[in-house]
Amino acid sequence: MAILSQLFWGVTIGALTTAFETLAKGAVMIGGLGGASWYGLKWRKSRREKEKSGD
């Protein structure tokens, strides 16, 4: 009986750990893509402003 309890505990903790790890990786990926997109839009806007002021 103790073996089954330990097995259940291990599977439960393993599943929770995997779920949180997956969520964390997804959050980091979304944050990275969002940051890169924001930086790209900022760079493009500043480039357009420089071109307009140079005319």
Side-chain angles (χ1 to χ4, degrees), residues 9-10 17 20 25-26 29-30 32-33 42 48:
W9 182 256
T17 303
F20 284 122
K25 284 180 183 178
M29 187 178 72
I30 289 171
L33 288 173
K42 181 180 162 187
R48 270 193 231 136

Side-chain angles (χ1 to χ4, degrees), residues 40-55:
L41 289 173
K42 181 180 162 187
W43 176 75
R44 205 174 344 164
K45 182 180 176 183
S46 68
R47 194 176 72 174
R48 270 193 231 136
E49 288 175 358
K50 285 180 185 177
E51 288 177 358
K52 284 183 181 179
S53 65
D55 288 345

Side-chain angles (χ1 to χ4, degrees), residues 1 3-5 7 12 17 20-22 24 34-36 43 48-49 54:
M1 191 67 172
I3 293 172
L4 289 177
S5 176
L7 179 64
T12 302
T17 303
F20 284 122
E21 190 175 309
T22 303
W43 176 75
R48 270 193 231 136
E49 288 175 358

